[in-house]
Amino acid sequence: MIQKTLIILKPDCMEKNLAGTVLSRFEAAGLTLAACKMIQISETLVREHYAHLVNEPFFGFLSNWMMSRPVIVAVLQGENAIEKVRELLGPTKSANAPAGTIRGDFGNKEIVTYNICHASDGEASASAEIARFFNENEVF
Ligand code: ADP
């Protein structure tokens, strides 16, 4: 099934100049860019995006960090894109992510928050997240 999924190249990815490298991994796996832009995330957006984490002790750290510099949000499209992108990323904790995955290769092994890239985790979140960050006429 052809799907669309949302990714965010997080502040650590931008700071390390890894945006091209990370996008290349997705493209090499057969995924195609359907939308892409650089934005400074607002507090409203970050609270909405991480609504499931607002009560976590690390939420303040996570949200301040996500707003700390511009990030790239993009929509990737392809066969089984939602699961494929999550597999290419690896698990949330970069320390547990195997070599060859994006988080395993580039994420911070000590600081869980710094894991390079966000990706939608299911069909419902993918459509909600795409609509959160893009107008209809920005997705091709
Ligand atoms: P994922 O991004 O893999 O879908 P979550 O939705 O659970 O994972 O968490 C969102 C983001 O919050 C993570 O990608 C990571 O940056 C941060 N995070 C998650 N768990 C922790 C934690 N225990 N300590 C610090 N930061 C965390």
Side-chain angles (χ1 to χ4, degrees), residues 37-93:
K37 65 184 174 188
M38 193 158 170
I39 60 165
Q40 183 89 47
I41 294 190
S42 65
E43 190 164 358
T44 310
L45 263 183
V46 88
R47 289 190 81 84
E48 209 179 295
H49 184 68
Y50 283 133
H52 60 295
L53 299 174
V54 287
N55 295 320
E56 295 292 337
F58 58 82
F59 181 74
F61 182 79
L62 170 67
S63 58
N64 283 332
W65 178 64
M66 288 298 291
M67 296 186 288
S68 66
R69 63 187 294 151
V71 295
I72 288 176
V73 285
V75 177
L76 292 169
Q77 178 171 309
E79 186 64 34
N80 207 18
I82 297 169
E83 197 185 326
K84 196 184 265 185
V85 167
R86 294 284 295 194
E87 276 174 17
L88 290 165
L89 266 193
T92 305
K93 292 186 177 173

